Amino acid sequence: MIRKKIKKILVPIDGSKNSMRGLDEGIYLARQCQATITGLYVIPIYPRNLADAIMPFQIQLTNEAKTFMSNAKIRCAQKGVDFKSRIIFGNPTVEIDEFSRSGKFDIIVIGSRGQSGLKEVFLGSVANAVIHKSKVPVLVVK
C-alpha cells in the first residue's frame, strides 16, 4: 500500500554525514517504492550589508554544493535510483518547506543534524523546524 503512495522523495543535503545518512535512507525508500529523489541544497543568504564581504564565500559554498550533489547523484545511480538536484539560496527551513509544497513531494527525508552551528538538544535546528512547519510527512534520520 505504501509503495503506491510514495513516488517523489525530497532529501535536503548539506554535505554533512547526517545528511548523507538521510540520503541513504531516501535511497532505500525509493528502491522499495520505485520513487525518484530530489536532492535540495540550500545556501544561506546573508544581509545586504555583508554581501560584498561574503560573495567569495558564497562562490565557494556553491562549488561545494555542486560537488555534494554530484556525489549524491553517483550514490543514487549506483543503487539504481533516479536523482535530480536543486541548489537554491535562502533560509533552509523556509526553502525546504516551500520547495516540498511546490514540488508536490510525498515525503521529506532529512538528517537529524547538519552543519549548522546552532544545534538543539536532540535534533538539528533545521530538521526540528521542518518537522514543525511542513505539511508534507517528514522522516528524520539520526
Side-chain angles (χ1 to χ4, degrees), residues 38-86:
T38 299
L40 179 64
Y41 193 108
V42 182
I43 299 172
I45 55 173
Y46 299 95
R48 286 189 176 171
N49 56 352
L50 294 176
D52 291 335
I54 301 294
M55 186 57 88
F57 185 61
Q58 284 187 324
I59 291 169
Q60 179 184 349
L61 285 176
T62 303
N63 290 335
E64 286 178 6
K66 289 177 183 176
T67 300
F68 292 135
M69 291 307 226
S70 177
N71 292 338
K73 185 171 186 157
I74 291 167
R75 207 170 188 148
C76 286
Q78 289 172 339
K79 300 288 186 176
V81 174
D82 248 0
F83 180 84
K84 299 172 190 163
S85 66
R86 189 76 192 270

Side-chain angles (χ1 to χ4, degrees), residues 26-133:
I27 290 169
Y28 174 78
L29 187 59
R31 290 189 68 185
Q32 301 304 309
C33 302
Q34 290 83 41
T36 61
I37 294 178
T38 299
L40 179 64
Y41 193 108
V42 182
I43 299 172
I45 55 173
Y46 299 95
R48 286 189 176 171
N49 56 352
L50 294 176
D52 291 335
I54 301 294
M55 186 57 88
F57 185 61
Q58 284 187 324
I59 291 169
Q60 179 184 349
L61 285 176
T62 303
N63 290 335
E64 286 178 6
K66 289 177 183 176
T67 300
F68 292 135
M69 291 307 226
S70 177
N71 292 338
K73 185 171 186 157
I74 291 167
R75 207 170 188 148
C76 286
Q78 289 172 339
K79 300 288 186 176
V81 174
D82 248 0
F83 180 84
K84 299 172 190 163
S85 66
R86 189 76 192 270
I87 300 171
I88 57 178
F89 289 86
N91 176 320
T93 303
V94 172
E95 296 301 331
I96 291 167
D97 182 49
E98 288 179 4
F99 192 80
S100 68
R101 289 183 198 195
S102 66
K104 297 182 180 172
F105 288 90
D106 300 311
I107 191 168
I108 300 170
V109 180
I110 188 168
S112 62
R113 287 196 178 185
Q115 293 184 346
S116 172
L118 301 171
K119 292 183 179 176
E120 295 187 16
V121 179
F122 297 109
L123 293 176
S125 55
V126 173
N128 189 34
V130 169
I131 289 168
H132 288 92
K133 192 171 189 175

